[in-house]
Coordinates of all heavy atoms in Angstrom, one line a residue:
M1 N -21.7 102.5 93.7 CA -22.9 102.5 92.9 C -22.5 102.9 91.4 O -21.7 103.8 91.2 CB -23.9 103.5 93.4 CG -25.2 103.5 92.7 SD -26.5 104.5 93.5 CE -26.2 106.1 92.9
A2 N -23.0 102.2 90.5 CA -22.7 102.4 89.1 C -23.4 103.6 88.5 O -24.5 103.9 88.9 CB -23.1 101.2 88.2
W3 N -22.7 104.3 87.6 CA -23.3 105.5 87.0 C -24.3 105.0 85.9 O -24.1 104.1 85.2 CB -22.2 106.3 86.3 CG -21.4 107.1 87.3 CD1 -21.5 107.1 88.7 CD2 -20.4 108.1 87.0 NE1 -20.6 107.9 89.2 CE2 -20.0 108.6 88.2 CE3 -19.9 108.6 85.8 CZ2 -19.0 109.6 88.3 CZ3 -18.9 109.6 85.9 CH2 -18.5 110.1 87.1
T4 N -25.3 105.8 85.7 CA -26.2 105.6 84.7 C -25.6 106.1 83.3 O -24.6 106.9 83.4 CB -27.5 106.4 84.9 OG1 -27.3 107.8 84.9 CG2 -28.2 105.9 86.1
E5 N -26.2 105.7 82.2 CA -25.6 106.2 80.9 C -25.7 107.7 80.8 O -24.8 108.4 80.3 CB -26.4 105.5 79.8 CG -25.8 105.7 78.4 CD -24.4 105.2 78.3 OE1 -24.1 104.1 78.9 OE2 -23.6 105.8 77.6
E6 N -26.8 108.3 81.4 CA -27.0 109.7 81.3 C -25.9 110.4 82.2 O -25.4 111.4 81.7 CB -28.4 110.1 81.9 CG -28.7 111.5 81.9 CD -30.0 111.8 82.5 OE1 -30.9 111.0 82.4 OE2 -30.3 113.0 82.9
R7 N -25.6 109.8 83.3 CA -24.6 110.4 84.2 C -23.2 110.3 83.5 O -22.4 111.2 83.6 CB -24.6 109.7 85.6 CG -23.5 110.1 86.5 CD -23.8 111.6 87.0 NE -22.8 111.9 88.0 CZ -21.9 112.9 87.8 NH1 -21.8 113.6 86.7 NH2 -21.0 113.2 88.7
R8 N -22.9 109.2 82.9 CA -21.6 109.1 82.1 C -21.5 110.2 81.0 O -20.5 110.8 80.9 CB -21.6 107.7 81.5 CG -21.2 106.6 82.4 CD -21.1 105.3 81.5 NE -21.4 104.1 82.2 CZ -20.6 103.6 83.1 NH1 -19.4 104.0 83.2 NH2 -21.0 102.5 83.7
K9 N -22.6 110.4 80.3 CA -22.6 111.4 79.2 C -22.3 112.8 79.8 O -21.6 113.6 79.3 CB -23.9 111.3 78.4 CG -23.9 110.1 77.5 CD -25.2 110.1 76.8 CE -25.3 108.8 75.9 NZ -26.6 108.7 75.2
Q10 N -23.0 113.0 80.9 CA -22.9 114.3 81.6 C -21.4 114.5 82.1 O -20.9 115.6 81.9 CB -23.9 114.3 82.8 CG -23.9 115.7 83.5 CD -24.8 115.6 84.7 OE1 -25.2 114.6 85.2 NE2 -25.1 116.8 85.3
Q11 N -20.9 113.5 82.7 CA -19.5 113.6 83.2 C -18.5 113.8 82.0 O -17.5 114.6 82.1 CB -19.1 112.4 84.1 CG -17.8 112.6 84.8 CD -17.8 113.7 85.7 OE1 -18.7 114.0 86.4 NE2 -16.6 114.4 85.8
A12 N -18.7 113.1 81.0 CA -17.9 113.2 79.8 C -17.9 114.6 79.2 O -16.9 115.2 78.8 CB -18.3 112.2 78.7
E13 N -19.1 115.2 79.2 CA -19.2 116.6 78.7 C -18.5 117.6 79.6 O -17.8 118.4 79.2 CB -20.7 117.0 78.6 CG -21.0 118.3 78.1 CD -20.4 118.5 76.7 OE1 -20.4 117.6 75.9 OE2 -19.9 119.6 76.4
I14 N -18.6 117.3 80.9 CA -17.9 118.2 81.9 C -16.4 118.1 81.7 O -15.6 119.1 81.7 CB -18.3 117.8 83.3 CG1 -19.7 118.2 83.7 CG2 -17.3 118.4 84.4 CD1 -20.3 117.6 84.9
C15 N -15.9 116.8 81.5 CA -14.5 116.6 81.3 C -14.0 117.3 80.0 O -12.9 117.9 79.9 CB -14.1 115.2 81.3 SG -14.2 114.4 82.9
R16 N -14.8 117.2 78.9 CA -14.4 117.8 77.6 C -14.4 119.3 77.8 O -13.5 120.0 77.2 CB -15.4 117.4 76.5 CG -15.1 116.0 75.9 CD -15.9 115.8 74.7 NE -17.3 115.6 75.0 CZ -17.9 114.4 75.3 NH1 -17.2 113.4 75.4 NH2 -19.2 114.4 75.5
K17 N -15.3 119.8 78.6 CA -15.3 121.3 78.8 C -14.1 121.8 79.6 O -13.5 122.8 79.3 CB -16.7 121.7 79.5 CG -16.8 123.1 79.7 CD -18.1 123.4 80.4 CE -18.3 124.9 80.7 NZ -19.5 125.2 81.5
N18 N -13.8 121.1 80.7 CA -12.8 121.5 81.7 C -11.4 121.1 81.3 O -10.4 121.7 81.7 CB -13.1 121.0 83.1 CG -14.4 121.6 83.7 OD1 -14.7 122.7 83.3 ND2 -15.0 120.9 84.6
K19 N -11.3 120.0 80.5 CA -10.0 119.5 80.0 C -9.0 119.4 81.2 O -7.9 119.9 81.1 CB -9.4 120.4 78.9 CG -10.3 120.5 77.7 CD -9.8 121.3 76.6 CE -10.8 121.4 75.5 NZ -10.3 122.3 74.4
P20 N -9.3 118.5 82.1 CA -8.4 118.4 83.3 C -7.0 117.9 82.9 O -6.1 118.1 83.6 CB -9.2 117.5 84.2 CG -10.1 116.7 83.4 CD -10.4 117.7 82.2
W21 N -6.9 117.1 81.8 CA -5.6 116.6 81.4 C -4.6 117.7 81.0 O -3.4 117.5 81.1 CB -5.8 115.6 80.2 CG -6.5 116.1 79.1 CD1 -5.9 116.8 78.0 CD2 -7.9 116.1 78.8 NE1 -6.9 117.2 77.1 CE2 -8.1 116.8 77.6 CE3 -9.0 115.7 79.5 CZ2 -9.4 117.0 77.0 CZ3 -10.3 115.8 78.9 CH2 -10.5 116.5 77.7
L22 N -5.1 118.9 80.7 CA -4.2 119.9 80.3 C -3.7 120.6 81.6 O -2.6 121.3 81.5 CB -5.0 121.0 79.5 CG -5.4 120.5 78.1 CD1 -6.2 121.6 77.4 CD2 -4.3 120.0 77.3
K23 N -4.4 120.4 82.7 CA -3.9 121.1 84.0 C -3.1 120.2 84.8 O -2.6 120.6 85.8 CB -5.2 121.6 84.7 CG -6.0 122.6 83.9 CD -7.3 122.9 84.5 CE -8.1 123.7 83.6 NZ -9.5 123.7 83.9
S24 N -3.1 119.0 84.5 CA -2.4 118.0 85.3 C -0.9 118.1 85.1 O -0.4 117.9 84.0 CB -2.8 116.6 85.0 OG -2.1 115.6 85.7
T25 N -0.1 118.4 86.2 CA 1.3 118.6 86.0 C 2.1 117.5 86.8 O 3.3 117.3 86.6 CB 1.7 119.9 86.6 OG1 1.4 120.0 88.0 CG2 1.0 121.1 85.8
G26 N 1.5 116.8 87.7 CA 2.2 115.8 88.5 C 3.0 116.4 89.6 O 2.9 117.6 89.7
P27 N 3.7 115.6 90.3 CA 4.4 116.2 91.5 C 5.6 117.0 91.0 O 6.2 116.7 90.0 CB 4.9 114.9 92.2 CG 4.9 113.9 91.2 CD 3.9 114.2 90.2
K28 N 5.9 118.1 91.7 CA 7.0 118.9 91.4 C 8.2 118.8 92.4 O 9.3 119.0 92.0 CB 6.6 120.4 91.3 CG 5.5 120.6 90.2 CD 5.1 122.0 90.1 CE 4.1 122.1 88.9 NZ 3.7 123.5 88.7
T29 N 7.9 118.5 93.6 CA 9.0 118.5 94.6 C 9.5 117.0 94.7 O 8.9 116.1 94.2 CB 8.5 118.8 96.0 OG1 7.5 117.8 96.4 CG2 7.8 120.2 96.0
L30 N 10.7 116.9 95.2 CA 11.3 115.6 95.3 C 10.5 114.7 96.3 O 10.3 113.5 96.0 CB 12.8 115.7 95.9 CG 13.8 116.2 94.9 CD1 15.2 116.4 95.6 CD2 13.9 115.3 93.7
Q31 N 9.9 115.3 97.3 CA 9.1 114.5 98.2 C 7.9 114.1 97.5 O 7.4 112.9 97.7 CB 8.7 115.4 99.5 CG 7.9 114.6 100.5 CD 7.5 115.4 101.7 OE1 7.9 116.6 101.7 NE2 6.8 114.8 102.6
G32 N 7.3 114.9 96.7 CA 6.0 114.6 96.0 C 6.3 113.5 95.0 O 5.6 112.5 94.8
K33 N 7.5 113.6 94.3 CA 7.9 112.5 93.3 C 8.1 111.2 94.0 O 7.7 110.1 93.5 CB 9.1 113.0 92.6 CG 8.8 114.1 91.6 CD 10.0 114.6 90.9 CE 9.7 115.8 90.0 NZ 10.8 116.2 89.2
A34 N 8.7 111.2 95.2 CA 9.0 110.0 96.0 C 7.7 109.4 96.4 O 7.5 108.2 96.4 CB 9.9 110.3 97.2
T35 N 6.8 110.2 96.9 CA 5.4 109.7 97.3 C 4.7 109.0 96.1 O 4.2 107.9 96.3 CB 4.6 110.8 97.9 OG1 5.3 111.4 99.0 CG2 3.2 110.3 98.3
V36 N 4.7 109.7 95.0 CA 4.0 109.1 93.9 C 4.7 107.9 93.4 O 4.0 106.9 92.9 CB 4.0 110.2 92.7 CG1 3.5 109.6 91.4 CG2 3.1 111.3 93.1
A37 N 6.0 107.8 93.5 CA 6.7 106.6 93.1 C 6.2 105.4 93.9 O 6.3 104.2 93.4 CB 8.2 106.8 93.2
L38 N 5.9 105.6 95.1 CA 5.4 104.5 96.0 C 4.0 104.0 95.6 O 3.6 102.9 95.9 CB 5.4 104.9 97.5 CG 6.8 105.2 98.0 CD1 6.6 105.7 99.5 CD2 7.6 103.9 98.0
N39 N 3.2 104.8 94.9 CA 1.8 104.4 94.5 C 1.8 103.2 93.7 O 1.0 102.3 93.9 CB 1.1 105.6 93.7 CG 0.8 106.7 94.6 OD1 0.8 106.6 95.8 ND2 0.5 107.9 94.0
A40 N 2.8 103.1 92.7 CA 2.8 101.9 91.9 C 3.1 100.6 92.8 O 2.6 99.6 92.6 CB 3.8 102.0 90.8
R41 N 4.0 100.8 93.7 CA 4.4 99.7 94.6 C 3.2 99.2 95.4 O 2.9 98.1 95.5 CB 5.6 100.0 95.4 CG 5.8 99.0 96.5 CD 7.0 99.3 97.3 NE 8.1 98.6 96.7 CZ 9.4 98.7 97.1 NH1 9.7 99.5 98.1 NH2 10.3 98.1 96.5
K42 N 2.5 100.2 96.0 CA 1.3 99.9 96.8 C 0.3 99.2 96.0 O -0.3 98.2 96.3 CB 0.7 101.2 97.4 CG 1.4 101.8 98.5 CD 0.7 103.0 99.0 CE 1.5 103.8 100.0 NZ 0.9 105.0 100.4
Y43 N 0.0 99.7 94.8 CA -1.0 99.1 93.9 C -0.5 97.7 93.5 O -1.4 96.8 93.5 CB -1.2 100.0 92.7 CG -2.2 99.3 91.7 CD1 -3.6 99.4 92.1 CD2 -1.8 98.7 90.6 CE1 -4.5 98.7 91.3 CE2 -2.8 98.1 89.7 CZ -4.1 98.1 90.1 OH -5.0 97.5 89.3
K44 N 0.7 97.6 93.1 CA 1.2 96.2 92.7 C 1.0 95.2 93.8 O 0.5 94.1 93.6 CB 2.7 96.4 92.3 CG 3.2 95.0 91.8 CD 4.7 95.2 91.3 CE 5.2 93.9 90.8 NZ 6.6 94.0 90.4
E45 N 1.4 95.6 95.1 CA 1.2 94.7 96.2 C -0.3 94.4 96.4 O -0.6 93.3 96.6 CB 1.8 95.3 97.5 CG 3.3 95.4 97.4 CD 3.9 96.1 98.6 OE1 3.2 96.6 99.5 OE2 5.2 96.3 98.6
W46 N -1.1 95.4 96.4 CA -2.5 95.2 96.6 C -3.1 94.3 95.5 O -3.8 93.3 95.7 CB -3.3 96.5 96.5 CG -4.7 96.3 96.5 CD1 -5.6 96.1 97.6 CD2 -5.6 96.3 95.4 NE1 -6.9 96.0 97.3 CE2 -6.9 96.1 95.9 CE3 -5.4 96.5 94.1 CZ2 -8.0 96.1 95.1 CZ3 -6.5 96.5 93.2 CH2 -7.8 96.2 93.7
F47 N -2.7 94.6 94.2 CA -3.2 93.8 93.1 C -2.7 92.3 93.2 O -3.5 91.4 93.0 CB -2.7 94.4 91.8 CG -3.3 93.6 90.6 CD1 -4.5 93.8 90.2 CD2 -2.4 92.7 89.9 CE1 -5.1 93.1 89.1 CE2 -2.9 92.0 88.8 CZ -4.2 92.2 88.4
H48 N -1.5 92.1 93.7 CA -0.9 90.8 93.8 C -1.7 90.1 94.9 O -2.0 88.9 94.7 CB 0.6 90.9 94.2 CG 1.2 89.6 94.3 ND1 1.4 88.8 93.2 CD2 1.7 89.0 95.4 CE1 2.1 87.7 93.7 NE2 2.3 87.8 95.0
E49 N -2.0 90.7 96.0 CA -2.8 90.0 97.1 C -4.1 89.7 96.6 O -4.7 88.6 96.9 CB -2.8 90.9 98.3 CG -1.5 91.1 99.0 CD -1.5 92.1 100.1 OE1 -2.6 92.6 100.4 OE2 -0.4 92.5 100.6
E50 N -4.8 90.6 95.9 CA -6.1 90.4 95.4 C -6.1 89.2 94.4 O -7.0 88.4 94.4 CB -6.7 91.6 94.7 CG -7.0 92.7 95.6 CD -8.2 92.4 96.4 OE1 -9.2 92.0 95.9 OE2 -8.2 92.6 97.7
A51 N -5.1 89.2 93.5 CA -5.0 88.1 92.5 C -4.8 86.8 93.2 O -5.4 85.7 92.8 CB -3.8 88.4 91.5
I52 N -4.0 86.7 94.2 CA -3.8 85.5 94.9 C -5.1 85.0 95.6 O -5.4 83.8 95.5 CB -2.7 85.7 96.0 CG1 -1.3 85.8 95.4 CG2 -2.7 84.5 97.0 CD1 -0.2 86.1 96.3
E53 N -5.8 86.0 96.2 CA -7.1 85.6 96.8 C -8.1 85.1 95.8 O -8.8 84.1 96.0 CB -7.6 86.8 97.6 CG -8.9 86.5 98.4 CD -8.7 85.3 99.4 OE1 -7.6 85.2 100.0 OE2 -9.6 84.5 99.5
R54 N -8.1 85.8 94.6 CA -9.0 85.3 93.6 C -8.7 83.9 93.1 O -9.5 83.0 92.9 CB -9.0 86.2 92.4 CG -9.8 87.5 92.6 CD -10.0 88.2 91.3 NE -8.8 88.6 90.6 CZ -8.1 89.7 90.8 NH1 -8.6 90.6 91.6 NH2 -7.0 89.9 90.1
R55 N -7.4 83.6 92.9 CA -7.0 82.3 92.5 C -7.3 81.2 93.6 O -7.7 80.1 93.3 CB -5.5 82.3 92.2 CG -5.1 82.9 90.9 CD -3.7 82.7 90.6 NE -3.2 83.8 89.7 CZ -2.3 84.7 90.1 NH1 -1.7 84.7 91.3 NH2 -2.0 85.7 89.3
R56 N -7.1 81.6 94.9 CA -7.4 80.7 95.9 C -8.8 80.4 96.0 O -9.3 79.2 96.1 CB -6.9 81.3 97.3 CG -7.1 80.4 98.5 CD -6.7 81.0 99.8 NE -5.3 81.2 99.8 CZ -4.6 82.4 100.0 NH1 -5.4 83.5 100.2 NH2 -3.4 82.5 100.0
S57 N -9.7 81.4 95.8 CA -11.1 81.2 95.8 C -11.6 80.3 94.6 O -12.4 79.4 94.8 CB -11.8 82.5 95.7 OG -13.2 82.4 95.6
L58 N -11.0 80.6 93.4 CA -11.3 79.7 92.3 C -10.9 78.3 92.5 O -11.6 77.4 92.2 CB -10.6 80.3 91.1 CG -10.7 79.5 89.7 CD1 -12.2 79.5 89.3 CD2 -9.9 80.2 88.6
F59 N -9.7 78.1 93.1 CA -9.2 76.8 93.3 C -10.1 76.1 94.3 O -10.4 74.8 94.1 CB -7.8 76.9 93.9 CG -7.2 75.5 94.4 CD1 -6.8 74.6 93.5 CD2 -7.1 75.2 95.7 CE1 -6.3 73.4 93.9 CE2 -6.7 74.0 96.1 CZ -6.2 73.1 95.2
E60 N -10.6 76.7 95.3 CA -11.5 76.1 96.3 C -12.8 75.7 95.6 O -13.3 74.6 95.9 CB -11.7 77.0 97.5 CG -10.6 77.2 98.4 CD -10.1 75.9 99.0 OE1 -10.9 75.0 99.4 OE2 -8.8 75.7 99.2
R61 N -13.3 76.6 94.8 CA -14.6 76.2 94.0 C -14.4 75.0 93.1 O -15.2 74.1 93.0 CB -15.1 77.4 93.3 CG -15.6 78.5 94.1 CD -16.4 79.5 93.4 NE -15.8 80.1 92.2 CZ -15.1 81.1 92.2 NH1 -14.8 81.9 93.3 NH2 -14.5 81.6 91.1
Q62 N -13.2 75.0 92.4 CA -12.9 73.9 91.5 C -12.8 72.6 92.3 O -13.2 71.5 91.8 CB -11.7 74.2 90.7 CG -11.9 75.3 89.6 CD -10.6 75.6 88.9 OE1 -9.6 75.5 89.4 NE2 -10.8 76.2 87.7
K63 N -12.1 72.7 93.4 CA -11.9 71.5 94.3 C -13.3 70.9 94.7 O -13.5 69.7 94.7 CB -11.0 71.9 95.5 CG -10.5 70.7 96.2 CD -9.3 71.1 97.2 CE -9.8 71.8 98.4 NZ -8.8 72.0 99.4
E64 N -14.2 71.8 95.1 CA -15.5 71.4 95.6 C -16.3 70.7 94.4 O -16.9 69.7 94.6 CB -16.3 72.6 96.1 CG -17.7 72.2 96.6 CD -17.7 71.2 97.7 OE1 -16.7 71.0 98.4 OE2 -18.8 70.6 97.9
R65 N -16.1 71.3 93.2 CA -16.8 70.8 92.0 C -16.2 69.4 91.7 O -17.0 68.4 91.4 CB -16.6 71.6 90.8 CG -17.5 72.9 90.8 CD -17.4 73.6 89.6 NE -18.0 74.9 89.7 CZ -17.4 76.1 89.4 NH1 -16.2 76.1 88.9 NH2 -18.1 77.2 89.6
L66 N -14.9 69.2 91.8 CA -14.3 68.0 91.5 C -14.8 66.9 92.6 O -15.0 65.7 92.2 CB -12.8 68.1 91.6 CG -12.0 66.9 91.1 CD1 -12.3 66.4 89.7 CD2 -10.5 67.2 91.2
R67 N -14.8 67.3 93.8 CA -15.3 66.4 94.9 C -16.7 65.9 94.6 O -17.0 64.7 94.7 CB -15.2 67.1 96.2 CG -15.5 66.2 97.4 CD -15.6 66.9 98.7 NE -16.8 67.8 98.8 CZ -18.0 67.4 99.0 NH1 -18.3 66.1 99.1 NH2 -19.0 68.2 99.1
L68 N -17.6 66.8 94.2 CA -19.0 66.5 93.8 C -19.0 65.6 92.6 O -19.8 64.6 92.6 CB -19.8 67.7 93.6 CG -20.1 68.6 94.8 CD1 -20.7 69.9 94.4 CD2 -20.9 67.9 95.8
L69 N -18.2 65.8 91.6 CA -18.2 65.0 90.4 C -17.7 63.6 90.8 O -18.2 62.5 90.3 CB -17.2 65.6 89.3 CG -17.8 66.7 88.6 CD1 -16.8 67.4 87.7 CD2 -19.0 66.3 87.8
H70 N -16.7 63.4 91.7 CA -16.2 62.1 92.1 C -17.3 61.4 92.8 O -17.5 60.2 92.6 CB -15.0 62.3 93.0 CG -13.7 62.5 92.2 ND1 -13.2 61.6 91.3 CD2 -12.9 63.5 92.2 CE1 -12.1 62.0 90.8 NE2 -11.9 63.2 91.3
R71 N -18.0 62.1 93.7 CA -19.1 61.5 94.4 C -20.2 61.0 93.5 O -20.7 59.9 93.6 CB -19.7 62.5 95.4 CG -20.8 62.0 96.3 CD -21.3 63.0 97.3 NE -22.4 62.5 97.9 CZ -23.2 63.3 98.7 NH1 -22.8 64.5 98.9 NH2 -24.2 62.9 99.3
E72 N -20.6 61.9 92.5 CA -21.6 61.5 91.5 C -21.1 60.3 90.7 O -22.0 59.4 90.5 CB -21.9 62.7 90.6 CG -23.0 62.5 89.7 CD -23.3 63.7 88.8 OE1 -23.3 64.8 89.4 OE2 -23.5 63.5 87.6
N73 N -19.9 60.3 90.4 CA -19.4 59.2 89.6 C -19.4 57.9 90.3 O -19.8 56.8 89.8 CB -17.9 59.5 89.1 CG -17.3 58.4 88.2 OD1 -18.1 57.9 87.4 ND2 -16.1 58.1 88.3
F74 N -19.1 57.9 91.6 CA -19.1 56.7 92.5 C -20.6 56.3 92.6 O -20.8 55.0 92.5 CB -18.6 57.1 93.9 CG -18.7 56.0 94.9 CD1 -17.8 54.9 94.8 CD2 -19.6 56.0 95.9 CE1 -17.8 53.9 95.7 CE2 -19.7 55.0 96.8 CZ -18.8 53.9 96.7
E75 N -21.5 57.2 92.8 CA -22.9 56.8 92.9 C -23.4 56.1 91.6 O -24.2 55.2 91.7 CB -23.8 58.0 93.3 CG -23.5 58.5 94.8 CD -24.2 59.7 95.1 OE1 -24.8 60.4 94.2 OE2 -24.1 60.2 96.3
L76 N -23.0 56.7 90.5 CA -23.4 56.1 89.2 C -22.9 54.7 89.0 O -23.5 53.8 88.5 CB -23.0 57.0 88.1 CG -23.8 58.3 87.9 CD1 -23.2 59.2 86.8 CD2 -25.3 58.0 87.6
K77 N -21.6 54.5 89.5 CA -21.0 53.2 89.4 C -21.8 52.2 90.2 O -22.0 51.0 89.8 CB -19.6 53.2 89.8 CG -18.6 53.8 88.7 CD -17.2 53.8 89.2 CE -16.3 54.3 88.2 NZ -14.9 54.4 88.6
L78 N -22.2 52.6 91.4 CA -22.9 51.7 92.3 C -24.3 51.3 91.7 O -24.7 50.2 91.7 CB -23.2 52.4 93.7 CG -22.0 52.4 94.6 CD1 -22.4 53.2 95.9 CD2 -21.5 51.0 94.9
K79 N -25.0 52.4 91.1 CA -26.3 52.1 90.4 C -26.1 51.2 89.2 O -26.9 50.3 89.0 CB -26.8 53.4 89.9 CG -27.5 54.2 91.0 CD -28.0 55.6 90.5 CE -28.6 56.4 91.6 NZ -29.1 57.7 91.1
L80 N -25.0 51.4 88.4 CA -24.7 50.5 87.3 C -24.5 49.1 87.8 O -25.0 48.1 87.2 CB -23.5 51.0 86.5 CG -23.1 50.2 85.3 CD1 -24.2 50.1 84.3 CD2 -21.8 50.8 84.7
Q81 N -23.7 48.9 88.8 CA -23.5 47.5 89.4 C -24.7 46.9 89.8 O -25.0 45.7 89.5 CB -22.5 47.6 90.6 CG -21.1 47.9 90.1 CD -20.1 48.1 91.4 OE1 -20.6 48.1 92.5 NE2 -18.8 48.2 91.1
K82 N -25.6 47.6 90.5 CA -26.9 47.1 90.9 C -27.7 46.7 89.7 O -28.3 45.7 89.7 CB -27.6 48.1 91.8 CG -28.9 47.6 92.4 CD -29.6 48.6 93.3 CE -30.9 48.1 93.9 NZ -31.7 47.1 93.3
Y83 N -27.8 47.6 88.7 CA -28.5 47.3 87.5 C -28.1 46.0 86.8 O -28.8 45.2 86.4 CB -28.5 48.5 86.5 CG -29.2 48.3 85.2 CD1 -30.5 48.4 85.1 CD2 -28.4 48.0 84.1 CE1 -31.2 48.1 83.9 CE2 -29.0 47.8 82.9 CZ -30.4 47.9 82.8 OH -31.0 47.6 81.6
E84 N -26.7 46.0 86.6 CA -26.2 44.8 86.0 C -26.5 43.5 86.8 O -26.8 42.5 86.2 CB -24.6 45.0 85.8 CG -24.3 45.9 84.8 CD -22.8 46.2 84.7 OE1 -22.1 45.9 85.6 OE2 -22.4 46.8 83.6
S85 N -26.3 43.6 88.1 CA -26.6 42.4 89.0 C -28.1 42.0 88.9 O -28.3 40.9 88.8 CB -26.1 42.8 90.4 OG -27.1 42.6 91.3
D86 N -29.0 43.0 88.9 CA -30.4 42.7 88.7 C -30.7 42.1 87.3 O -31.5 41.2 87.2 CB -31.3 44.0 89.0 CG -31.3 44.4 90.4 OD1 -30.9 43.7 91.3 OD2 -31.7 45.6 90.6
A87 N -30.0 42.6 86.3 CA -30.3 42.1 84.9 C -29.8 40.7 84.7 O -30.4 40.0 84.0 CB -29.5 43.1 84.0
L88 N -28.7 40.4 85.5 CA -28.2 39.0 85.4 C -29.0 38.0 86.3 O -28.7 36.8 86.3 CB -26.7 39.0 85.7 CG -25.8 39.7 84.7 CD1 -24.4 39.7 85.2 CD2 -25.9 39.1 83.3
G89 N -29.8 38.6 87.2 CA -30.6 37.8 88.1 C -29.8 37.3 89.3 O -30.1 36.2 89.9
D90 N -28.7 37.9 89.7 CA -27.9 37.5 90.9 C -28.6 37.9 92.1 O -29.3 38.6 92.5 CB -26.6 38.2 90.8 CG -25.7 37.7 89.7 OD1 -26.0 36.6 89.2 OD2 -24.7 38.4 89.4

């Protein structure tokens, strides 16, 4: 659920008051550092999969639009042929 503008301002004020960035130290143990190092890899893999899925979805939508345009073009050509044939009296 999205935050309201009022909620954003309230949270910003809380953050300015508490200054969490001053208390953030990151991992201190080798195990903690190793775990954190994997976060980027996990995110990169997830992001990569998400990007592939978005591209696939976009491609499918574009393919469907193209199919519809070809169909519409074909129908217009048929109408034009009929119109020309009627105009010539064939």
Side-chain angles (χ1 to χ4, degrees):
M1 184 166 87
W3 284 7
T4 63
E5 190 61 33
E6 182 180 337
R7 177 68 176 113
R8 283 182 207 281
K9 288 179 183 177
Q10 182 184 17
Q11 187 63 37
E13 183 59 36
I14 291 169
C15 286
R16 281 191 289 275
K17 181 180 175 184
N18 294 334
K19 300 180 183 176
W21 56 89
L22 296 178
K23 300 170 189 161
S24 177
T25 60
K28 295 182 180 186
T29 66
L30 288 177
Q31 182 181 1
K33 291 177 183 183
T35 301
V36 169
L38 293 176
N39 288 344
R41 171 178 265 177
K42 284 181 191 175
Y43 178 74
K44 184 179 178 181
E45 288 172 3
W46 172 82
F47 182 77
H48 183 67
E49 290 169 10
E50 288 290 312
I52 288 171
E53 186 54 40
R54 281 194 304 270
R55 285 187 207 115
R56 184 179 295 123
S57 176
L58 177 62
F59 175 73
E60 291 299 324
R61 288 195 310 268
Q62 288 174 335
K63 194 165 72 170
E64 179 62 18
R65 286 186 190 128
L66 188 58
R67 188 186 68 75
L68 291 173
L69 285 172
H70 281 297
R71 180 177 173 190
E72 186 177 315
N73 187 35
F74 178 75
E75 290 171 355
L76 286 173
K77 283 181 180 179
L78 287 177
K79 286 180 183 179
L80 180 61
Q81 287 175 352
K82 183 177 181 340
Y83 175 76
E84 288 175 342
S85 126
D86 289 347
L88 294 174
D90 291 344

